[in-house]
Amino acid sequence: MANDARQFWESFYGEREQVWSGRPNPLLVREVEPLTPGTALDLGCAEGADAIWLAERGWRVTAVDISQTALGRAAAHAARVGVAGIEWVSHDLTATFPDGEFDLVSAQFFHSPVAGDGEREKILHRAAEAVAPGGTLLVAGHAGAPSWHDDPDHDVDFPTTADVLDGLDLDPARWRVETQEVVEREMSGPDGQHGHRQDNVVRVRRLD
Ligand SMILES: C[S@@+](CC[C@H](N)C(=O)[O-])C[C@H]1O[C@@H](n2cnc3c(N)ncnc32)[C@H](O)[C@@H]1O
């Protein structure tokens, strides 16, 4: 499965010179803007827009992806805009995870059509273990397919916010849920059609 995942994401990024918009995820911006910068871990950083936004605000970022192509583009983007303070590292998070604790651990749209059963949940569980005392875990993900999609890809799992929290299985004496929300945003489809999509956001704080 690990090699399949690496191949899948390499060929995904290989199809185009740039896949994502280059702008940070709005839910990351909304949830993290009020926080005091410290160390941050971005899981599945892709082409780096979130990590760059964080570093611009003073976070010292470890940004992880399985795709070397994505990491190369991310580093080039950071160099182009003159942003330092980001370590770009390759991990297949089903197999290895960065060492250490972080004031912020962020997983934005960490979906993969080639993920095995329970893999995402295990990675998010491990992500919670990497949050430093007083730190934050932020998980945003799609709540479902976009409105124009009449043949949703059934290989992709869209857990609810309750599913995410159940999978994290956090001790309520040590963690506080600060955001648990479904957010709808308007967006355009590939043929320019008007549509919308719902996203889930969960932000939890480690208390000690
Ligand atoms: C749907 S994209 C989301 C990217 C980005 N966080 C965003 O919000 O735009 C998922 C990213 O996770 C990475 N990824 C998928 N499986 C992974 C794994 N097992 N280990 C590390 N990264 C992985 C992919 O290469 C891809 O860049």
Side-chain angles (χ1 to χ4, degrees), residues 9 13 20 25 44 46 65-66 91-94 108-111:
W9 286 103
Y13 284 108
W20 307 108
N25 279 300
D65 205 279
I66 197 171
H91 282 271
D92 174 356
L93 292 165
T94 64
Q108 300 292 310
F109 303 97
F110 190 68
H111 300 291

Side-chain angles (χ1 to χ4, degrees), residues 14-42:
E15 277 168 18
R16 281 192 269 161
E17 275 182 23
Q18 181 180 338
V19 175
W20 307 108
S21 68
R23 294 186 296 278
N25 279 300
L27 286 173
L28 172 91
V29 172
R30 187 190 86 174
E31 296 292 317
V32 173
E33 212 149 36
L35 304 181
T36 304
T39 54
L41 175 63
D42 183 10

